[in-house]
Amino acid sequence: GHHIQHPRRQPRLKRQFGQPQQGERGGFGRFQHHRIARRQRRSDLPRADHQREIPRHDRADHAHRFAVDQGKDAVGGGGNLHIFDITNPNDIELKNKIITPGYITEIKIFNNYAFVVNGPQGVRIFDLSNMESPIEISYCTTPGIANRIYVDNNRLYIADLYYGLKIFDISNINSPIELGGIYTYGYGEDVVAKDGIVYFADNYEGLQIFNAQDPSHITRLISYNPGQSVEKLLLKDNYLITTDQYYGIRIIDVLNPSNPNEVSSIQIPVDRTLVLEGNTLYTTASNYIEIDISDINNPSIIRSKDIGGGYITSMAKYNQVMLFTFGWQGFKLMDITENGNYNFLSSYNLPNYLR
């Protein structure tokens, strides 16, 4: 079975992974030399219009990003944005395809707007009111590679892969205004925020927590290292859920964001495939996995199923249907009703579009 850890029961955990460090740039113990090396070479980084090997990014015909809202499904393959109607999961329908100028690293849909994270071309915002004729209405740019986003209280938070955090006011969705930002030393893997407190996954540099209530004067509350790396972030009430491809899922109490405290973890080799709904976490390792976190201190795996189909690159949930992208094999929809057989309902193989 999978190993579920509870720090209160295992006093060696904090010694193993190191104490969280206070201050503007506290050391991370075993990562000290890694930081120095990266700091020395960051001055040599190319700007967004130069070539550089991009971690985890794929060619244009590799379906690897998903977003679902109100029966609208947006799938990103390289630089191509595909809009589907999935209100009938047994008979999905492609409504449109848009070629974007960059490559897509993430898509999120809010209130009929698709926020398409477009790598070196920033974040493109599309109106999906008419799925057959999506309209790009605005965009936001960052100095490097826009990688992940989060929307909270009319603010758009962008994790730039190389240049840290950028914040935009999107109260007027047609004309976003840049409010501020802060540089980080790692790779900007993900970002979430609540009431101006920003949680930034900085890969091997750990979790950066910022007070951005005044985006023109962002302050770092803490640099916290819960494990080998921090990649995916989810917020649930006063808890932050993180993934580490080496150590699995960690749940951190952030009631006091200046003093985060890990309360539990599950050691499964997850990557970015993590979805939260209610008290259930959905993820994939070698299998499709459902985790009950109703007792936040004692998460438990309630289902683990081999669904086949190949390597899952992303996932999203729509009602009682789970959507998976399988890289070169397009995407599939699976019935996850409680009494269901977890069978695939339909699939769609994307053509090999080149960007």
Side-chain angles (χ1 to χ4, degrees), residues 9 11 39 65 69 125 138 167 182-183 197 216 231 248 252 254 260 270 288 307 310-311 315 320 322 333 343 345:
R9 301 176 189 173
R39 184 179 292 169
R65 294 294 174 255
D69 183 66
I125 304 175
S138 58
I167 304 175
I182 189 169
Y183 178 87
I197 303 301
S216 64
E231 296 173 353
I252 301 168
V254 290
V270 300
Y288 165 76
I307 61 173
Y311 176 68
M315 61 191 290
Q320 291 303 306
M322 192 65 73
L333 282 68
N343 293 323
L345 301 172

Side-chain angles (χ1 to χ4, degrees), residues 141-155:
T141 60
T142 68
I145 306 293
N147 193 29
R148 294 291 184 275
I149 62 166
Y150 194 79
V151 175
D152 182 62
N153 289 334
N154 286 323
R155 288 184 182 177

Side-chain angles (χ1 to χ4, degrees), residues 1 25 38 232 245 303 336:
R25 188 54 65 177
R38 177 170 292 160
K232 174 70 176 176
Q245 64 176 316
R303 185 170 287 104
I336 61 167

Side-chain angles (χ1 to χ4, degrees), residues 306-317:
D306 181 2
I307 61 173
Y311 176 68
I312 296 171
T313 51
S314 60
M315 61 191 290
K317 188 173 183 291

Side-chain angles (χ1 to χ4, degrees), residues 122-273:
V123 179
R124 330 295 294 193
I125 304 175
F126 291 84
D127 185 342
L128 299 185
S129 299
N130 183 348
M131 285 192 290
E132 295 182 353
S133 299
I135 301 171
E136 180 175 347
I137 58 173
S138 58
Y139 64 92
C140 307
T141 60
T142 68
I145 306 293
N147 193 29
R148 294 291 184 275
I149 62 166
Y150 194 79
V151 175
D152 182 62
N153 289 334
N154 286 323
R155 288 184 182 177
L156 173 64
Y157 299 87
I158 303 176
D160 186 296
L161 192 65
Y162 302 134
Y163 289 92
L165 172 68
K166 287 289 184 181
I167 304 175
F168 288 80
D169 179 353
I170 55 170
S171 53
N172 179 356
I173 196 73
N174 296 288
S175 183
I177 299 172
E178 183 173 345
L179 299 177
I182 189 169
Y183 178 87
T184 65
Y185 291 110
Y187 292 118
E189 295 281 6
D190 204 1
V191 60
V192 296
K194 182 179 180 181
D195 299 329
I197 303 301
V198 182
Y199 305 88
F200 191 91
D202 214 19
N203 200 292
Y204 292 102
E205 298 296 329
L207 172 66
Q208 310 295 322
I209 304 180
F210 301 106
N211 184 336
Q213 292 170 338
D214 179 357
S216 64
H217 295 88
I218 300 172
T219 58
R220 182 178 283 103
L221 298 178
I222 192 170
S223 298
Y224 175 64
N225 176 26
Q228 181 75 10
S229 65
V230 179
E231 296 173 353
K232 174 70 176 176
L233 301 175
L234 292 173
L235 272 175
K236 176 177 172 56
D237 303 323
N238 293 315
Y239 295 94
L240 185 69
I241 302 167
T242 74
T243 65
D244 178 328
Q245 64 176 316
Y246 301 103
Y247 290 95
I249 297 171
R250 300 176 182 278
I251 302 178
I252 301 168
D253 184 342
V254 290
L255 179 62
N256 178 358
S258 297
N259 186 28
N261 176 46
E262 183 178 321
V263 295
S264 58
S265 65
I266 301 179
Q267 289 190 347
I268 52 177
V270 300
D271 194 359
R272 297 180 186 276
T273 51

